[in-house]
Amino acid sequence: MSIREKISFYFEDIETPTGRIINLIITALVLLSSAIFIIETYEIPQSLRLHLNFTNSVILLIFALEYLLRFWCAEEKIKFLLSLFSLIDLLAIIPFLIGVIDISYIRIFRWFRILRLVRFLEGKTVKTRFSKGDSVIYARILFTLFAIIFVYSGLIYQVEHPVNRAEFSTFLDAVYFAVVTMTTVGFGDVTPISAAGRLLTVLMIFTGIGLIPWQVGDLIKRLVRTVNKVETLCPNCALSFHDADARFCKNCGTKLEDN
């Protein structure tokens, strides 16, 4: 393979040691950058804040390099630029790409960086890795719920903290507000005062009414379906669980041994 083909392969591969290490490093950097954002919402020593800012800048540089490498490796450049994963990656590095301009509100895009982990719950490599049962589907649903709450919490904190520090002093305050709003509990003890904050609140409510019940309902249905399965090992592909009345493996079609 050429250098470009090798780079493209290792970005998507989690079976070989090199591919696994690369993808684990990227995942760790996403989680680390998200943790840095949360820590920075609290009162911390200035020296620690400087170290965190430097670390975050290095992570942004790595993400920018990764984005450029993925663009270079893509066979269809336009299709790559318009793909969901590419747009998420671009949102994650926008603060770095235009960092020379003093636009404070652009920092709002940093909260979308957690969505980059969606990439590792999609694609044939992960589906192959989680071929037993519905593990990858459970992980995708749970992560979707977590990502929605995380992103909304970050956005509401970013727009409300500068004007409403009393009620949105830390990221935890924003998480509390997001969970209460999206579950439509609506205690009313924390309220946004900015126009952007109120708009986000409306979006949270619509998301809570529409998306979350659908995701949770899908998770429950799959859990119920899994409970009704029996453990029967396929002699060909080693799929462990099948329907109680199954005579052939649903994955490869091999005849199952009678219990």
Side-chain angles (χ1 to χ4, degrees), residues 48-178:
L48 176 58
R49 190 175 296 276
L50 291 175
H51 286 300
L52 292 178
N53 287 337
F54 174 77
T55 302
N56 188 51
S57 298
V58 173
I59 293 174
L60 274 172
L61 179 61
I62 295 173
F63 286 162
L65 177 61
E66 179 207 358
Y67 180 84
L68 293 176
L69 286 174
R70 287 185 183 274
F71 176 76
W72 179 58
C73 294
E75 295 182 0
E76 300 180 36
K77 308 296 185 185
I78 301 299
K79 183 178 179 180
F80 169 81
L81 292 174
L82 298 178
S83 67
L84 174 62
F85 293 142
S86 177
L87 293 175
I88 291 175
D89 290 347
L90 186 60
L91 286 175
I93 62 175
I94 278 180
F96 174 78
L97 295 178
I98 62 175
V100 294
I101 306 175
D102 185 16
I103 306 177
S104 59
Y105 69 82
I106 207 68
R107 290 166 63 86
I108 200 171
F109 288 110
R110 67 186 188 172
W111 300 102
F112 287 94
R113 207 174 301 173
I114 194 69
L115 295 179
R116 296 187 83 251
L117 292 180
V118 174
R119 184 189 296 278
F120 302 100
L121 295 178
E122 299 284 349
K124 61 181 181 180
T125 52
V126 176
K127 288 181 180 178
T128 305
R129 188 76 175 173
F130 291 92
S131 59
K132 296 182 179 180
D134 292 327
S135 300
V136 69
I137 300 176
Y138 300 150
R140 189 180 303 146
I141 293 174
L142 292 174
F143 175 75
T144 299
L145 296 175
F146 165 77
I148 291 172
I149 294 174
F150 182 90
V151 171
Y152 269 133
S153 300
L155 295 177
I156 195 69
Y157 173 83
Q158 202 72 49
V159 300
E160 281 294 313
H161 178 70
V163 298
N164 193 7
R165 292 177 182 268
E167 295 188 345
F168 291 89
S169 60
T170 67
F171 183 78
L172 182 59
D173 295 330
V175 171
Y176 167 78
F177 175 78

Side-chain angles (χ1 to χ4, degrees), residues 197-213:
R198 290 171 179 171
L199 176 60
L200 280 172
T201 301
V202 173
L203 294 177
M204 287 183 194
I205 293 173
F206 284 141
T207 303
I209 293 175
L211 183 59
I212 291 183

